[in-house]
Amino acid sequence: MPHVRDEHNWIICYLDEESSTPLNVDSFTSHWRPSLNGPSNLVPPDCQWIAINRGRSYDPRPQRINELNAAFKTLSQSHLRDGNITLTVSVLDQLACQYNVKSGKWMIFADLDTVDSVWADVVRLVCLHRRRGLAKVSANREATDRVICVYVDDFTDVKEVKKLRQDLRMIGVKRKIAF
């Protein structure tokens, strides 16, 4: 079984070049199923997310999330019209880049009947095909659908964002997905 940790109501599996084998990937996805059905499921009742981290690379410059939040609040106050914030996507992108908060994600929605197989396909994609990245799936017991998030380190790298979308289509994700 691969290295799995329970961190703040998240189940996170850390895999690297050596441990990212088909056997370990299949073992992880069969034991930690987001549908929360079946006798072999190990997901604790308070678990919010199940995640796979396959050596996600990070920009060495620290993210400045608190500063970004403060700048956003100031900027949004100056862009109020009739009680609505009127910031453009371009302005928000510039703000994210200025404060080095550039990760992005593709979001796939799956119902309880298909989420385990879609999640297993995503984990195989991240661990065995792409050999890098981070993905997570919601484990909310009250929800009838689950969301699977597959991350890119830098949303401004349009080539990488499109490549990940293409890879998701390759593994059979046919529904509309959002970035």
Side-chain angles (χ1 to χ4, degrees), residues 160-175:
E160 178 63 15
V161 170
K162 287 181 177 182
K163 175 68 171 117
L164 178 54
R165 183 179 187 275
Q166 178 183 355
D167 288 346
L168 291 169
R169 294 296 187 213
M170 177 193 72
I171 64 168
V173 175
K174 300 295 183 213
R175 296 172 90 179

Side-chain angles (χ1 to χ4, degrees), residues 55-68:
R56 181 174 184 201
S57 62
Y58 292 96
D59 188 322
R61 296 172 295 154
Q63 292 187 345
R64 299 162 48 200
I65 294 173
N66 291 339
E67 293 171 68
L68 170 71

Side-chain angles (χ1 to χ4, degrees), residues 143-159:
T144 56
D145 286 342
R146 301 287 189 266
V147 62
I148 299 171
C149 302
V150 188
Y151 288 84
V152 294
D153 291 336
D154 182 352
F155 72 87
T156 67
D157 185 346
V158 176
K159 184 177 177 183

Side-chain angles (χ1 to χ4, degrees), residues 5-12 32-34 36 41-51 137-142 146:
R5 294 196 324 219
D6 186 346
E7 299 178 16
H8 311 289
N9 298 327
W10 284 50
I11 298 299
I12 305 175
W32 303 98
R33 296 191 322 268
L36 302 173
N41 196 2
L42 304 174
V43 178
D46 59 346
C47 180
Q48 297 172 4
W49 295 98
I50 302 168
V137 61
S138 64
N140 180 347
R141 288 182 186 254
E142 284 80 42
R146 301 287 189 266

Side-chain angles (χ1 to χ4, degrees), residues 10-37:
W10 284 50
I11 298 299
I12 305 175
C13 179
Y14 294 91
L15 293 173
D16 57 22
E17 190 64 32
E18 186 177 309
S19 61
S20 205
T21 65
L23 181 63
N24 280 343
V25 166
D26 290 345
S27 176
F28 171 73
T29 58
S30 67
H31 282 89
W32 303 98
R33 296 191 322 268
S35 69
L36 302 173
N37 295 327

